[in-house]
Amino acid sequence: MPDALTTLLRDRDWLLADGATGTNLFNMGLESGDAPEFWNDTRVADVKRLYSGAVDAGSDLFLTNTFGSNAARLKLHDGQARAHELSCKGAEIGREIADAAGRPVIVAGSMGPTGEIMEPMGPLTHATAVEIFHEQAEGLKAGGADVLWVETISAPEELRAAAEAAALADMPWCVTMSFDTAGRTMMGTTSDAMTRLIGKLAHKPVAYGANCGVGASDLLRTVMGFGATDRPLIAKGNAGIPKYHDGHIHYDGTPELMADYAVLARDAGATIIGGCCGTTPDHLRAMRTALETRPRGDTPELSVIAETLGGFSSDSDGTDGNAPTRDRSGNRRRRARA
């Protein structure tokens, strides 16, 4: 039997995903430096509000509050022994919300990076990475997630480990990388290199694409750089650019801008379209309305994307060889999707 996401994709030429996790939880009182995954146990009502906010705004798919619920990241909070439990609880809450929606809604089990550098440049071995991801995957599966959603990945080695873990859990999965360094991921992967990597996997994802990064314009350029593929593409761009104001980070993207982004993402070839950092239910409602009411257009020119959403952060998207070379030296610890 096909998985729930594949079934839904057969009937739809676009799906609306959700928005940010961190932004919305910060608005509910999450403190900087806290692990939001603990809320799956201690503040269940707020996690329900997070999920319901996306569903009520029209999302066909939402990600669980489990971005960092793997043993490597939870170790920072002395919670490494709770990886399976917190993943399971995050998915269980999501299952409850999705089943009550009155329409098909996909529960996507969020799996962020481990935050460690993989061998040979770092200490994390492939076998250990697979074990970490597999434990989380089994928790999400036990909680009722429809699909695993591996996101904000920078290193191809980590993507391969996540793919193997999804296979061990016998779960369908999706994956997005974050192209935040002149069209490349922090570890040097370009969009076309990701497409080639996906093609070589034994357990291929249902869909793949890009999330987060440095702005909606850059993300759409990345989507267009994936090239020919037989799989649905995912676009989850940030709601504008982060600005520091009154001691907090705010994203300047309006609902109107994100509505334009959603339509351009669809026209650029994305099938699963959502937001990342800064994206609230208000943004999602505008995106849903735009996708439902505006006609499909031709593939947008880069000049149109820049004029509509703002300029690009670099002259190159990395696929022409004019971007920075692979850099494995950076600290890869990531926050929850702000």
Side-chain angles (χ1 to χ4, degrees):
M1 293 289 293
D3 63 87
L5 177 56
T6 297
T7 298
L8 192 57
L9 285 167
R10 288 177 179 174
D11 298 328
R12 299 277 301 278
D13 61 356
W14 58 264
L15 298 179
L16 181 66
D18 64 355
T21 294
T23 296
N24 294 295
L25 292 184
F26 285 134
N27 290 339
M28 297 179 198
L30 181 70
E31 296 291 335
S32 179
D34 288 349
E37 294 78 18
F38 290 138
W39 281 28
N40 297 337
D41 181 43
T42 61
R43 295 183 61 168
V44 173
D46 287 319
V47 177
K48 287 183 178 180
R49 284 175 56 202
L50 171 71
Y51 298 162
S52 295
V55 174
D56 293 346
S59 293
D60 302 296
L61 175 154
F62 66 85
L63 276 58
T64 56
N65 179 39
T66 55
F67 179 89
S69 63
N70 65 64
R73 294 182 64 86
L74 287 173
K75 186 176 182 179
L76 301 174
H77 306 275
D78 295 321
Q80 59 269 33
R82 303 186 68 190
H84 183 282
E85 171 204 351
L86 293 173
S87 296
C88 182
K89 287 183 175 181
E92 286 177 340
I93 300 167
R95 186 76 272 151
E96 178 182 346
I97 299 300
D99 289 347
R103 59 185 174 87
V105 175
I106 301 300
V107 179
S110 174
M111 298 172 61
T114 63
E116 304 293 341
I117 302 291
M118 291 193 66
E119 61 181 3
M121 302 302 294
L124 183 63
T125 67
H126 175 80
T128 300
V130 171
E131 181 181 354
I132 290 170
F133 283 130
H134 184 212
E135 178 184 29
Q136 185 179 15
E138 291 290 355
L140 292 165
K141 180 180 181 179
D146 293 302
V147 61
L148 305 177
W149 192 280
V150 181
E151 59 171 332
T152 324
I153 299 298
S154 294
E157 296 86 354
E158 199 161 35
L159 192 155
R160 293 188 190 99
E164 187 172 330
L168 288 172
D170 192 24
M171 283 287 286
W173 68 300
C174 296
V175 59
T176 57
M177 300 186 86
S178 183
F179 298 84
D180 53 10
T181 309
R184 296 174 181 259
T185 71
M186 188 184 301
M187 306 304 281
T189 303
T190 62
S191 52
D192 59 349
M194 183 182 185
T195 292
R196 294 194 300 272
L197 171 59
I198 295 297
K200 296 177 182 178
L201 294 174
H203 183 44
K204 293 181 173 56
V206 175
Y208 72 96
N211 79 295
C212 204
V214 292
S217 296
D218 284 52
L219 187 132
L220 293 189
R221 184 172 65 176
T222 293
V223 167
M224 294 168 64
F226 284 125
T229 176
D230 61 352
R231 299 188 178 274
L233 293 176
I234 300 165
K236 286 188 105 257
N238 294 340
I241 303 299
K243 306 287 186 181
Y244 190 78
H245 180 69
D246 290 339
H248 299 282
I249 297 295
H250 300 273
Y251 285 78
D252 63 4
T254 63
E256 292 75 19
L257 181 140
M258 290 303 283
D260 291 339
Y261 148 79
V263 173
L264 287 170
R266 180 191 63 191
D267 295 346
T271 301
I272 302 175
I273 302 161
C276 202
C277 301
T279 309
T280 69
D282 286 341
H283 295 95
L284 294 173
R285 275 186 282 272
M287 292 163 67
R288 178 89 193 195
T289 298
L291 288 167
E292 289 180 333
T293 60
R294 299 189 200 177
R296 183 178 290 274
D298 296 331
T299 302
E301 298 290 338
L302 293 179
S303 59
V304 172
I305 293 174
E307 180 180 353
T308 305
L309 303 180
F312 301 103
S313 66
S314 63
D315 292 334
S316 169
D317 70 348
T319 60
D320 57 6
N322 292 325
T325 56
R326 190 180 182 95
D327 176 13
R328 293 175 175 267
S329 62
N331 186 320
R332 298 180 56 244
R333 296 196 184 280
R334 295 272 187 175
R335 297 176 290 114
R337 292 175 300 129

